[in-house]
PDB file of all heavy atoms in Angstrom:
ATOM      1  N   PRO A 136     295.873 -29.454 -47.904  1.00 98.00           N
ATOM      2  CA  PRO A 136     296.765 -29.538 -49.071  1.00 98.00           C
ATOM      3  C   PRO A 136     296.940 -28.215 -49.803  1.00 98.00           C
ATOM      4  O   PRO A 136     298.018 -27.940 -50.342  1.00 98.00           O
ATOM      5  CB  PRO A 136     296.083 -30.584 -49.958  1.00 98.00           C
ATOM      6  CG  PRO A 136     294.635 -30.507 -49.584  1.00 98.00           C
ATOM      7  CD  PRO A 136     294.640 -30.250 -48.101  1.00 98.00           C
ATOM      8  N   GLN A 137     295.890 -27.396 -49.837  1.00 98.00           N
ATOM      9  CA  GLN A 137     296.015 -26.117 -50.537  1.00 98.00           C
ATOM     10  C   GLN A 137     296.959 -25.173 -49.791  1.00 98.00           C
ATOM     11  O   GLN A 137     297.722 -24.426 -50.417  1.00 98.00           O
ATOM     12  CB  GLN A 137     294.638 -25.475 -50.701  1.00 98.00           C
ATOM     13  CG  GLN A 137     293.707 -26.259 -51.618  1.00 98.00           C
ATOM     14  CD  GLN A 137     292.354 -25.590 -51.749  1.00 98.00           C
ATOM     15  OE1 GLN A 137     292.169 -24.706 -52.578  1.00 98.00           O
ATOM     16  NE2 GLN A 137     291.406 -26.004 -50.923  1.00 98.00           N
ATOM     17  N   CYS A 138     296.922 -25.217 -48.476  1.00 98.00           N
ATOM     18  CA  CYS A 138     297.873 -24.427 -47.702  1.00 98.00           C
ATOM     19  C   CYS A 138     299.300 -24.890 -47.984  1.00 98.00           C
ATOM     20  O   CYS A 138     300.219 -24.084 -48.152  1.00 98.00           O
ATOM     21  CB  CYS A 138     297.575 -24.552 -46.208  1.00 98.00           C
ATOM     22  SG  CYS A 138     296.086 -23.683 -45.654  1.00 98.00           S
ATOM     23  N   ALA A 139     299.481 -26.208 -48.033  1.00 98.00           N
ATOM     24  CA  ALA A 139     300.816 -26.761 -48.286  1.00 98.00           C
ATOM     25  C   ALA A 139     301.362 -26.296 -49.624  1.00 98.00           C
ATOM     26  O   ALA A 139     302.530 -25.899 -49.740  1.00 98.00           O
ATOM     27  CB  ALA A 139     300.757 -28.285 -48.230  1.00 98.00           C
ATOM     28  N   LEU A 140     300.535 -26.321 -50.652  1.00 98.00           N
ATOM     29  CA  LEU A 140     300.976 -25.894 -51.973  1.00 98.00           C
ATOM     30  C   LEU A 140     301.193 -24.382 -52.026  1.00 98.00           C
ATOM     31  O   LEU A 140     302.103 -23.900 -52.714  1.00 98.00           O
ATOM     32  CB  LEU A 140     299.955 -26.320 -53.027  1.00 98.00           C
ATOM     33  CG  LEU A 140     299.840 -27.834 -53.250  1.00 98.00           C
ATOM     34  CD1 LEU A 140     298.646 -28.163 -54.131  1.00 98.00           C
ATOM     35  CD2 LEU A 140     301.123 -28.387 -53.867  1.00 98.00           C
ATOM     36  N   ALA A 141     300.369 -23.646 -51.306  1.00 98.00           N
ATOM     37  CA  ALA A 141     300.521 -22.191 -51.288  1.00 98.00           C
ATOM     38  C   ALA A 141     301.843 -21.785 -50.645  1.00 98.00           C
ATOM     39  O   ALA A 141     302.492 -20.819 -51.082  1.00 98.00           O
ATOM     40  CB  ALA A 141     299.349 -21.553 -50.539  1.00 98.00           C
ATOM     41  N   ILE A 142     302.268 -22.499 -49.618  1.00 98.00           N
ATOM     42  CA  ILE A 142     303.540 -22.195 -48.958  1.00 98.00           C
ATOM     43  C   ILE A 142     304.705 -22.427 -49.913  1.00 98.00           C
ATOM     44  O   ILE A 142     305.624 -21.608 -50.021  1.00 98.00           O
ATOM     45  CB  ILE A 142     303.687 -23.035 -47.674  1.00 98.00           C
ATOM     46  CG1 ILE A 142     302.654 -22.597 -46.640  1.00 98.00           C
ATOM     47  CG2 ILE A 142     305.100 -22.904 -47.098  1.00 98.00           C
ATOM     48  CD1 ILE A 142     302.513 -23.547 -45.468  1.00 98.00           C
ATOM     49  N   GLU A 143     304.679 -23.550 -50.624  1.00 98.00           N
ATOM     50  CA  GLU A 143     305.720 -23.806 -51.627  1.00 98.00           C
ATOM     51  C   GLU A 143     305.753 -22.681 -52.654  1.00 98.00           C
ATOM     52  O   GLU A 143     306.831 -22.212 -53.065  1.00 98.00           O
ATOM     53  CB  GLU A 143     305.466 -25.143 -52.319  1.00 98.00           C
ATOM     54  CG  GLU A 143     306.483 -25.458 -53.414  1.00 98.00           C
ATOM     55  CD  GLU A 143     306.186 -26.762 -54.145  1.00 98.00           C
ATOM     56  OE1 GLU A 143     305.933 -27.779 -53.475  1.00 98.00           O
ATOM     57  OE2 GLU A 143     306.217 -26.737 -55.396  1.00 98.00           O
ATOM     58  N   ASP A 144     304.580 -22.209 -53.041  1.00 98.00           N
ATOM     59  CA  ASP A 144     304.490 -21.156 -54.047  1.00 98.00           C
ATOM     60  C   ASP A 144     305.067 -19.840 -53.524  1.00 98.00           C
ATOM     61  O   ASP A 144     305.694 -19.089 -54.289  1.00 98.00           O
ATOM     62  CB  ASP A 144     303.027 -20.966 -54.450  1.00 98.00           C
ATOM     63  CG  ASP A 144     302.859 -19.993 -55.598  1.00 98.00           C
ATOM     64  OD1 ASP A 144     303.457 -20.229 -56.661  1.00 98.00           O
ATOM     65  OD2 ASP A 144     302.142 -18.987 -55.415  1.00 98.00           O
ATOM     66  N   VAL A 145     304.878 -19.537 -52.244  1.00 98.00           N
ATOM     67  CA  VAL A 145     305.449 -18.321 -51.661  1.00 98.00           C
ATOM     68  C   VAL A 145     306.970 -18.341 -51.788  1.00 98.00           C
ATOM     69  O   VAL A 145     307.593 -17.366 -52.230  1.00 98.00           O
ATOM     70  CB  VAL A 145     305.029 -18.166 -50.193  1.00 98.00           C
ATOM     71  CG1 VAL A 145     305.863 -17.072 -49.501  1.00 98.00           C
ATOM     72  CG2 VAL A 145     303.551 -17.828 -50.083  1.00 98.00           C
ATOM     73  N   PHE A 146     307.587 -19.450 -51.415  1.00 98.00           N
ATOM     74  CA  PHE A 146     309.052 -19.534 -51.490  1.00 98.00           C
ATOM     75  C   PHE A 146     309.544 -19.524 -52.939  1.00 98.00           C
ATOM     76  O   PHE A 146     310.597 -18.941 -53.238  1.00 98.00           O
ATOM     77  CB  PHE A 146     309.549 -20.789 -50.764  1.00 98.00           C
ATOM     78  CG  PHE A 146     309.491 -20.669 -49.265  1.00 98.00           C
ATOM     79  CD1 PHE A 146     308.724 -21.539 -48.508  1.00 98.00           C
ATOM     80  CD2 PHE A 146     310.202 -19.680 -48.608  1.00 98.00           C
ATOM     81  CE1 PHE A 146     308.669 -21.431 -47.125  1.00 98.00           C
ATOM     82  CE2 PHE A 146     310.158 -19.562 -47.226  1.00 98.00           C
ATOM     83  CZ  PHE A 146     309.389 -20.443 -46.483  1.00 98.00           C
ATOM     84  N   ARG A 147     308.784 -20.137 -53.830  1.00 98.00           N
ATOM     85  CA  ARG A 147     309.184 -20.128 -55.250  1.00 98.00           C
ATOM     86  C   ARG A 147     309.169 -18.703 -55.780  1.00 98.00           C
ATOM     87  O   ARG A 147     310.136 -18.241 -56.406  1.00 98.00           O
ATOM     88  CB  ARG A 147     308.240 -21.020 -56.064  1.00 98.00           C
ATOM     89  CG  ARG A 147     308.567 -21.050 -57.561  1.00 98.00           C
ATOM     90  CD  ARG A 147     307.487 -21.774 -58.355  1.00 98.00           C
ATOM     91  NE  ARG A 147     306.176 -21.155 -58.227  1.00 98.00           N
ATOM     92  CZ  ARG A 147     305.805 -20.047 -58.859  1.00 98.00           C
ATOM     93  NH1 ARG A 147     306.645 -19.438 -59.685  1.00 98.00           N
ATOM     94  NH2 ARG A 147     304.584 -19.550 -58.693  1.00 98.00           N
ATOM     95  N   ARG A 148     308.083 -17.975 -55.514  1.00 98.00           N
ATOM     96  CA  ARG A 148     307.964 -16.604 -56.016  1.00 98.00           C
ATOM     97  C   ARG A 148     308.953 -15.657 -55.340  1.00 98.00           C
ATOM     98  O   ARG A 148     309.294 -14.607 -55.895  1.00 98.00           O
ATOM     99  CB  ARG A 148     306.537 -16.101 -55.831  1.00 98.00           C
ATOM    100  CG  ARG A 148     305.546 -16.725 -56.805  1.00 98.00           C
ATOM    101  CD  ARG A 148     304.204 -16.044 -56.723  1.00 98.00           C
ATOM    102  NE  ARG A 148     303.469 -16.417 -55.522  1.00 98.00           N
ATOM    103  CZ  ARG A 148     302.636 -15.617 -54.877  1.00 98.00           C
ATOM    104  NH1 ARG A 148     302.461 -14.365 -55.270  1.00 98.00           N
ATOM    105  NH2 ARG A 148     301.973 -16.040 -53.817  1.00 98.00           N
ATOM    106  N   ALA A 149     309.392 -16.019 -54.138  1.00 98.00           N
ATOM    107  CA  ALA A 149     310.358 -15.182 -53.429  1.00 98.00           C
ATOM    108  C   ALA A 149     311.749 -15.270 -54.043  1.00 98.00           C
ATOM    109  O   ALA A 149     312.623 -14.467 -53.708  1.00 98.00           O
ATOM    110  CB  ALA A 149     310.415 -15.568 -51.956  1.00 98.00           C
ATOM    111  N   GLY A 150     311.975 -16.249 -54.929  1.00 98.00           N
ATOM    112  CA  GLY A 150     313.236 -16.320 -55.645  1.00 98.00           C
ATOM    113  C   GLY A 150     314.247 -17.293 -55.082  1.00 98.00           C
ATOM    114  O   GLY A 150     315.414 -17.280 -55.506  1.00 98.00           O
ATOM    115  N   PHE A 151     313.828 -18.168 -54.168  1.00 98.00           N
ATOM    116  CA  PHE A 151     314.771 -19.170 -53.663  1.00 98.00           C
ATOM    117  C   PHE A 151     315.156 -20.146 -54.773  1.00 98.00           C
ATOM    118  O   PHE A 151     314.420 -20.322 -55.754  1.00 98.00           O
ATOM    119  CB  PHE A 151     314.155 -19.936 -52.482  1.00 98.00           C
ATOM    120  CG  PHE A 151     314.215 -19.188 -51.183  1.00 98.00           C
ATOM    121  CD1 PHE A 151     313.129 -18.462 -50.739  1.00 98.00           C
ATOM    122  CD2 PHE A 151     315.371 -19.199 -50.412  1.00 98.00           C
ATOM    123  CE1 PHE A 151     313.181 -17.757 -49.547  1.00 98.00           C
ATOM    124  CE2 PHE A 151     315.440 -18.500 -49.217  1.00 98.00           C
ATOM    125  CZ  PHE A 151     314.343 -17.769 -48.777  1.00 98.00           C
ATOM    126  N   THR A 152     316.289 -20.796 -54.604  1.00 97.00           N
ATOM    127  CA  THR A 152     316.764 -21.803 -55.544  1.00 97.00           C
ATOM    128  C   THR A 152     315.641 -22.792 -55.874  1.00 97.00           C
ATOM    129  O   THR A 152     314.908 -23.234 -54.984  1.00 97.00           O
ATOM    130  CB  THR A 152     317.952 -22.573 -54.925  1.00 97.00           C
ATOM    131  OG1 THR A 152     318.981 -21.643 -54.602  1.00 97.00           O
ATOM    132  CG2 THR A 152     318.479 -23.615 -55.892  1.00 97.00           C
ATOM    133  N   ASP A 153     315.496 -23.122 -57.135  1.00 97.00           N
ATOM    134  CA  ASP A 153     314.472 -24.072 -57.558  1.00 97.00           C
ATOM    135  C   ASP A 153     314.622 -25.386 -56.784  1.00 97.00           C
ATOM    136  O   ASP A 153     315.687 -26.002 -56.791  1.00 97.00           O
ATOM    137  CB  ASP A 153     314.607 -24.344 -59.058  1.00 97.00           C
ATOM    138  CG  ASP A 153     313.552 -25.305 -59.554  1.00 97.00           C
ATOM    139  OD1 ASP A 153     312.368 -25.128 -59.225  1.00 97.00           O
ATOM    140  OD2 ASP A 153     313.921 -26.268 -60.267  1.00 97.00           O
ATOM    141  N   GLY A 154     313.558 -25.786 -56.089  1.00 97.00           N
ATOM    142  CA  GLY A 154     313.591 -27.018 -55.307  1.00 97.00           C
ATOM    143  C   GLY A 154     314.058 -26.840 -53.877  1.00 97.00           C
ATOM    144  O   GLY A 154     314.135 -27.817 -53.127  1.00 97.00           O
ATOM    145  N   ALA A 155     314.342 -25.608 -53.457  1.00 98.00           N
ATOM    146  CA  ALA A 155     314.818 -25.390 -52.083  1.00 98.00           C
ATOM    147  C   ALA A 155     313.730 -25.649 -51.048  1.00 98.00           C
ATOM    148  O   ALA A 155     314.033 -25.988 -49.901  1.00 98.00           O
ATOM    149  CB  ALA A 155     315.353 -23.969 -51.922  1.00 98.00           C
ATOM    150  N   PHE A 156     312.469 -25.503 -51.467  1.00 98.00           N
ATOM    151  CA  PHE A 156     311.358 -25.866 -50.581  1.00 98.00           C
ATOM    152  C   PHE A 156     310.286 -26.522 -51.433  1.00 98.00           C
ATOM    153  O   PHE A 156     309.763 -25.918 -52.363  1.00 98.00           O
ATOM    154  CB  PHE A 156     310.790 -24.650 -49.851  1.00 98.00           C
ATOM    155  CG  PHE A 156     309.761 -25.031 -48.822  1.00 98.00           C
ATOM    156  CD1 PHE A 156     310.144 -25.261 -47.515  1.00 98.00           C
ATOM    157  CD2 PHE A 156     308.426 -25.211 -49.168  1.00 98.00           C
ATOM    158  CE1 PHE A 156     309.208 -25.650 -46.563  1.00 98.00           C
ATOM    159  CE2 PHE A 156     307.490 -25.607 -48.230  1.00 98.00           C
ATOM    160  CZ  PHE A 156     307.884 -25.823 -46.922  1.00 98.00           C
ATOM    161  N   GLN A 157     309.959 -27.778 -51.086  1.00 98.00           N
ATOM    162  CA  GLN A 157     308.980 -28.535 -51.859  1.00 98.00           C
ATOM    163  C   GLN A 157     307.917 -29.145 -50.951  1.00 98.00           C
ATOM    164  O   GLN A 157     308.202 -29.558 -49.822  1.00 98.00           O
ATOM    165  CB  GLN A 157     309.661 -29.683 -52.609  1.00 98.00           C
ATOM    166  CG  GLN A 157     310.734 -29.259 -53.589  1.00 98.00           C
ATOM    167  CD  GLN A 157     311.384 -30.480 -54.223  1.00 98.00           C
ATOM    168  OE1 GLN A 157     310.822 -31.117 -55.108  1.00 98.00           O
ATOM    169  NE2 GLN A 157     312.573 -30.810 -53.746  1.00 98.00           N
ATOM    170  N   THR A 158     306.704 -29.193 -51.468  1.00 98.00           N
ATOM    171  CA  THR A 158     305.605 -29.872 -50.787  1.00 98.00           C
ATOM    172  C   THR A 158     305.407 -31.251 -51.394  1.00 98.00           C
ATOM    173  O   THR A 158     305.340 -31.398 -52.622  1.00 98.00           O
ATOM    174  CB  THR A 158     304.305 -29.055 -50.907  1.00 98.00           C
ATOM    175  OG1 THR A 158     304.384 -27.922 -50.036  1.00 98.00           O
ATOM    176  CG2 THR A 158     303.094 -29.887 -50.546  1.00 98.00           C
ATOM    177  N   LEU A 159     305.334 -32.261 -50.530  1.00 97.00           N
ATOM    178  CA  LEU A 159     305.048 -33.630 -50.964  1.00 97.00           C
ATOM    179  C   LEU A 159     303.620 -33.977 -50.552  1.00 97.00           C
ATOM    180  O   LEU A 159     303.312 -34.034 -49.361  1.00 97.00           O
ATOM    181  CB  LEU A 159     306.022 -34.621 -50.315  1.00 97.00           C
ATOM    182  CG  LEU A 159     307.520 -34.361 -50.488  1.00 97.00           C
ATOM    183  CD1 LEU A 159     308.319 -35.416 -49.730  1.00 97.00           C
ATOM    184  CD2 LEU A 159     307.894 -34.369 -51.969  1.00 97.00           C
ATOM    185  N   LEU A 160     302.745 -34.189 -51.500  1.00 96.00           N
ATOM    186  CA  LEU A 160     301.367 -34.578 -51.191  1.00 96.00           C
ATOM    187  C   LEU A 160     301.315 -36.100 -51.079  1.00 96.00           C
ATOM    188  O   LEU A 160     300.952 -36.810 -52.018  1.00 96.00           O
ATOM    189  CB  LEU A 160     300.421 -34.051 -52.271  1.00 96.00           C
ATOM    190  CG  LEU A 160     300.330 -32.528 -52.387  1.00 96.00           C
ATOM    191  CD1 LEU A 160     299.374 -32.124 -53.509  1.00 96.00           C
ATOM    192  CD2 LEU A 160     299.886 -31.910 -51.060  1.00 96.00           C
ATOM    193  N   ILE A 161     301.688 -36.589 -49.911  1.00 95.00           N
ATOM    194  CA  ILE A 161     301.797 -38.027 -49.671  1.00 95.00           C
ATOM    195  C   ILE A 161     301.099 -38.372 -48.364  1.00 95.00           C
ATOM    196  O   ILE A 161     300.819 -37.505 -47.532  1.00 95.00           O
ATOM    197  CB  ILE A 161     303.274 -38.467 -49.592  1.00 95.00           C
ATOM    198  CG1 ILE A 161     303.989 -37.711 -48.468  1.00 95.00           C
ATOM    199  CG2 ILE A 161     303.966 -38.259 -50.936  1.00 95.00           C
ATOM    200  CD1 ILE A 161     305.385 -38.202 -48.185  1.00 95.00           C
ATOM    201  N   GLY A 162     300.847 -39.648 -48.165  1.00 94.00           N
ATOM    202  CA  GLY A 162     300.240 -40.116 -46.942  1.00 94.00           C
ATOM    203  C   GLY A 162     301.282 -40.414 -45.865  1.00 94.00           C
ATOM    204  O   GLY A 162     302.486 -40.515 -46.138  1.00 94.00           O
ATOM    205  N   SER A 163     300.808 -40.587 -44.644  1.00 94.00           N
ATOM    206  CA  SER A 163     301.702 -40.840 -43.513  1.00 94.00           C
ATOM    207  C   SER A 163     302.457 -42.153 -43.653  1.00 94.00           C
ATOM    208  O   SER A 163     303.543 -42.318 -43.077  1.00 94.00           O
ATOM    209  CB  SER A 163     300.895 -40.858 -42.208  1.00 94.00           C
ATOM    210  OG  SER A 163     300.287 -39.607 -41.984  1.00 94.00           O
ATOM    211  N   GLU A 164     301.911 -43.073 -44.423  1.00 94.00           N
ATOM    212  CA  GLU A 164     302.545 -44.391 -44.560  1.00 94.00           C
ATOM    213  C   GLU A 164     303.910 -44.307 -45.262  1.00 94.00           C
ATOM    214  O   GLU A 164     304.703 -45.251 -45.191  1.00 94.00           O
ATOM    215  CB  GLU A 164     301.623 -45.353 -45.305  1.00 94.00           C
ATOM    216  CG  GLU A 164     301.433 -45.065 -46.776  1.00 94.00           C
ATOM    217  CD  GLU A 164     300.409 -43.971 -47.063  1.00 94.00           C
ATOM    218  OE1 GLU A 164     299.804 -43.463 -46.095  1.00 94.00           O
ATOM    219  OE2 GLU A 164     300.211 -43.653 -48.252  1.00 94.00           O
ATOM    220  N   MET A 165     304.192 -43.193 -45.910  1.00 96.00           N
ATOM    221  CA  MET A 165     305.457 -43.059 -46.635  1.00 96.00           C
ATOM    222  C   MET A 165     306.540 -42.348 -45.817  1.00 96.00           C
ATOM    223  O   MET A 165     307.697 -42.263 -46.252  1.00 96.00           O
ATOM    224  CB  MET A 165     305.232 -42.290 -47.943  1.00 96.00           C
ATOM    225  CG  MET A 165     304.314 -42.998 -48.921  1.00 96.00           C
ATOM    226  SD  MET A 165     304.242 -42.152 -50.526  1.00 96.00           S
ATOM    227  CE  MET A 165     305.897 -42.451 -51.140  1.00 96.00           C
ATOM    228  N   VAL A 166     306.183 -41.854 -44.647  1.00 97.00           N
ATOM    229  CA  VAL A 166     307.120 -41.039 -43.868  1.00 97.00           C
ATOM    230  C   VAL A 166     308.364 -41.828 -43.467  1.00 97.00           C
ATOM    231  O   VAL A 166     309.498 -41.352 -43.590  1.00 97.00           O
ATOM    232  CB  VAL A 166     306.417 -40.453 -42.630  1.00 97.00           C
ATOM    233  CG1 VAL A 166     307.439 -39.924 -41.628  1.00 97.00           C
ATOM    234  CG2 VAL A 166     305.461 -39.350 -43.044  1.00 97.00           C
ATOM    235  N   GLU A 167     308.175 -43.037 -42.965  1.00 97.00           N
ATOM    236  CA  GLU A 167     309.319 -43.820 -42.495  1.00 97.00           C
ATOM    237  C   GLU A 167     310.301 -44.101 -43.617  1.00 97.00           C
ATOM    238  O   GLU A 167     311.530 -44.054 -43.426  1.00 97.00           O
ATOM    239  CB  GLU A 167     308.845 -45.130 -41.857  1.00 97.00           C
ATOM    240  CG  GLU A 167     309.947 -45.864 -41.128  1.00 97.00           C
ATOM    241  CD  GLU A 167     309.408 -46.968 -40.230  1.00 97.00           C
ATOM    242  OE1 GLU A 167     308.205 -46.940 -39.885  1.00 97.00           O
ATOM    243  OE2 GLU A 167     310.202 -47.861 -39.866  1.00 97.00           O
ATOM    244  N   GLU A 168     309.782 -44.365 -44.815  1.00 97.00           N
ATOM    245  CA  GLU A 168     310.647 -44.613 -45.967  1.00 97.00           C
ATOM    246  C   GLU A 168     311.471 -43.369 -46.316  1.00 97.00           C
ATOM    247  O   GLU A 168     312.657 -43.462 -46.653  1.00 97.00           O
ATOM    248  CB  GLU A 168     309.790 -45.025 -47.174  1.00 97.00           C
ATOM    249  CG  GLU A 168     310.577 -45.275 -48.448  1.00 97.00           C
ATOM    250  CD  GLU A 168     309.673 -45.591 -49.624  1.00 97.00           C
ATOM    251  OE1 GLU A 168     308.474 -45.851 -49.416  1.00 97.00           O
ATOM    252  OE2 GLU A 168     310.179 -45.560 -50.774  1.00 97.00           O
ATOM    253  N   ILE A 169     310.854 -42.210 -46.226  1.00 98.00           N
ATOM    254  CA  ILE A 169     311.569 -40.967 -46.539  1.00 98.00           C
ATOM    255  C   ILE A 169     312.643 -40.694 -45.502  1.00 98.00           C
ATOM    256  O   ILE A 169     313.761 -40.282 -45.837  1.00 98.00           O
ATOM    257  CB  ILE A 169     310.578 -39.786 -46.626  1.00 98.00           C
ATOM    258  CG1 ILE A 169     309.596 -40.007 -47.781  1.00 98.00           C
ATOM    259  CG2 ILE A 169     311.322 -38.472 -46.821  1.00 98.00           C
ATOM    260  CD1 ILE A 169     308.507 -38.967 -47.851  1.00 98.00           C
ATOM    261  N   ILE A 170     312.333 -40.901 -44.232  1.00 98.00           N
ATOM    262  CA  ILE A 170     313.329 -40.687 -43.175  1.00 98.00           C
ATOM    263  C   ILE A 170     314.545 -41.586 -43.404  1.00 98.00           C
ATOM    264  O   ILE A 170     315.689 -41.182 -43.193  1.00 98.00           O
ATOM    265  CB  ILE A 170     312.723 -40.936 -41.784  1.00 98.00           C
ATOM    266  CG1 ILE A 170     311.648 -39.882 -41.485  1.00 98.00           C
ATOM    267  CG2 ILE A 170     313.797 -40.909 -40.700  1.00 98.00           C
ATOM    268  CD1 ILE A 170     310.864 -40.154 -40.215  1.00 98.00           C
ATOM    269  N   ALA A 171     314.302 -42.799 -43.831  1.00 98.00           N
ATOM    270  CA  ALA A 171     315.398 -43.750 -44.055  1.00 98.00           C
ATOM    271  C   ALA A 171     316.211 -43.429 -45.303  1.00 98.00           C
ATOM    272  O   ALA A 171     317.341 -43.901 -45.443  1.00 98.00           O
ATOM    273  CB  ALA A 171     314.842 -45.170 -44.157  1.00 98.00           C
ATOM    274  N   ASP A 172     315.673 -42.630 -46.196  1.00 98.00           N
ATOM    275  CA  ASP A 172     316.354 -42.337 -47.460  1.00 98.00           C
ATOM    276  C   ASP A 172     317.651 -41.572 -47.199  1.00 98.00           C
ATOM    277  O   ASP A 172     317.660 -40.573 -46.472  1.00 98.00           O
ATOM    278  CB  ASP A 172     315.422 -41.504 -48.354  1.00 98.00           C
ATOM    279  CG  ASP A 172     315.905 -41.448 -49.790  1.00 98.00           C
ATOM    280  OD1 ASP A 172     316.990 -40.873 -50.024  1.00 98.00           O
ATOM    281  OD2 ASP A 172     315.205 -41.978 -50.667  1.00 98.00           O
TER     282      ASP A 172
END
Side-chain angles (χ1 to χ4, degrees):
Q137 294 180 86
C138 288
L140 292 170
I142 293 167
E143 178 183 312
D144 186 57
V145 168
F146 286 120
R147 179 189 60 77
R148 287 189 285 148
F151 280 97
T152 302
D153 181 47
F156 187 92
Q157 300 177 77
T158 286
L159 306 178
L160 296 179
I161 59 172
S163 298
E164 70 279 357
M165 297 187 69
V166 165
E167 191 166 341
E168 178 184 347
I169 296 174
I170 294 172
D172 194 295

